[in-house]
Amino acid sequence: MKALVLAAGQGSRLGRWTPALPKPFAPVANRPVLAWVLDHLDTAAVEEIGVIVPSNSLALYEQAFGTRTVAGTPVTWLPEHMPLGTGGCLRDQAAFLAGTPAVIVPADIISGVDLRALIAHHARTGAAVTVAAVPRDGQVWQGDVLVPDPDEPGRAAAYAFKPRPGPGTRLGSTGAWLVDPAVFPHIPEGRFCDFSSGVLPRLTGLGLRLGLFDAGEGVYLRDIGTPAKLLTGNQEAVRGLTAAAPRPLSGPAPLIGDGAEVDDQVLIGPGARIGAGASVVGPSVIGANAELGAGAVVTASVILPGGRVSAGARIDAEVVGTGEQALQALLDYAPFGGTR
């Protein structure tokens, strides 16, 4: 069993931080979100992980993450030379998958889905695709929805791409799929295709079995694809709400000036400087190599790696810093995986 991480998107929802900071590098508790995703895939005991990235960024990812995860799983960096979407890129990587099913996950969601249970469920049902889903409030959920087959547990009767809100509880997709190569002939080759809107809704009509894995209520999921969600994801990590505890970066200890006050729910990265008389109130993250001027007050915020807060400034529930600063500071502490 192999895994694929979809990391070639433009990340435009992050606004001013991209493209200088590619979305898979967006930091959560001082580590790129992609590092969290690779950690999660290690729990699935897959034999190899392929990460699809833009071809012009290949060297950057190899430098930052190396060729193995922290647990030692081999990582192969797979260049995408033109935008192919979440479906087209799967067809493009058929040679890497070598005829075996694969766990597919996005690069911008921190997840607590039990991937081993997903793999076991897929093997039992013989589905062409199995989608991990969780119960959601139908009135507020804005993502994709699976309709369970009333006659066969573990099977979906239909897949709806971002339907309108409705009453009751719905099973919303977590973004984690297990895909069998039998699906590939139904994905257009060499052109853009979105898997969620262009492939999954058609599966049952093609005579292919669509599996449904209920990951359970309360499973942690955090999409960090917008500034507001990036802020929330960092706050949740500091508060201990993520499925796994934050893995600290190694490096020089932060310098905290005289009279500075730092709350319990604050994570400070290596090389950071907290000026004299400054105050940091949690849940907050002060990024690696970040600097807070004297007397600055930071509350429930994220200062990105390399970010700067002026002396006396007051920051409340904000994400501060530039994409360029964040990427450079993160690279100072690479690699985030095992070996180069």
Side-chain angles (χ1 to χ4, degrees):
M1 179 75 66
K2 293 185 178 183
L4 272 179
V5 183
L6 311 183
Q10 294 183 348
S12 56
R13 291 186 300 149
L14 269 181
R16 64 184 177 89
W17 289 292
T18 55
L21 181 70
K23 186 164 62 171
F25 281 86
V28 177
N30 272 311
R31 295 176 74 232
V33 63
L34 179 55
W36 289 76
V37 172
L38 295 176
D39 285 351
H40 185 220
L41 286 173
D42 271 334
T43 68
V46 294
E47 64 187 61
E48 186 178 5
I49 300 170
V51 186
I52 303 173
V53 300
S55 57
N56 60 359
S57 300
L58 190 64
L60 172 64
Y61 282 91
E62 290 175 337
Q63 172 192 355
F65 293 92
T67 57
R68 290 186 180 274
T69 66
V70 171
T73 307
V75 176
T76 299
W77 301 98
L78 304 168
E80 183 174 272
H81 300 284
M82 59 179 287
L84 291 172
T86 53
C89 72
L90 297 185
R91 178 68 183 265
D92 193 49
Q93 297 304 331
F96 168 78
L97 296 176
T100 63
V103 177
I104 315 294
V105 296
D108 60 354
I109 295 180
I110 297 177
S111 168
V113 171
D114 186 337
L115 295 178
R116 289 199 185 200
L118 169 63
I119 293 169
H121 179 87
H122 181 82
R124 284 195 304 271
T125 61
V129 177
T130 299
V131 179
V134 291
R136 295 290 194 181
D137 183 343
Q139 295 287 9
V140 298
W141 176 241
Q142 298 179 343
D144 301 353
V145 168
L146 289 98
V147 180
D149 187 327
D151 300 321
E152 191 171 347
R155 183 173 182 174
Y159 187 98
F161 176 71
K162 296 183 179 179
R164 292 180 179 179
T169 300
R170 295 178 169 183
L171 284 172
S173 171
T174 65
W177 316 316
L178 210 153
V179 179
D180 190 272
V183 176
F184 291 165
H186 304 286
I187 302 175
E189 187 173 6
R191 63 183 176 87
F192 187 94
C193 172
D194 182 78
F195 198 68
S196 293
S197 62
V199 179
L200 287 175
R202 297 190 296 115
L203 279 188
T204 53
L206 295 170
L208 295 173
R209 190 185 188 95
L210 178 59
L212 167 60
F213 173 67
D214 187 344
E217 196 166 358
V219 167
Y220 182 82
L221 289 170
R222 174 53 58 197
D223 168 8
I224 57 84
T226 70
K229 291 176 180 178
L230 179 61
L231 175 63
T232 300
N234 274 274
Q235 292 173 337
E236 289 173 344
V238 172
R239 293 169 57 202
L241 301 180
T242 49
R247 190 189 297 274
L249 289 183
S250 5
L255 299 178
I256 300 178
D258 293 340
E261 297 182 355
V262 178
D263 235 10
D264 287 340
Q265 286 194 335
V266 173
L267 179 64
I268 304 178
R273 295 171 177 266
I274 311 295
S279 173
V280 187
V281 180
S284 292
V285 175
I286 308 301
N289 296 357
E291 186 171 341
L292 274 59
V297 178
V298 173
T299 304
S301 295
V302 175
I303 311 304
L304 293 175
R308 300 288 183 266
V309 176
S310 302
R314 302 184 72 87
I315 307 296
D316 189 2
E318 295 182 44
V319 178
V320 175
T322 69
E324 293 86 352
Q325 290 169 336
L327 182 60
Q328 184 53 60
L330 285 169
L331 291 177
D332 286 346
Y333 297 93
F336 298 99
T339 57
R340 288 189 187 275

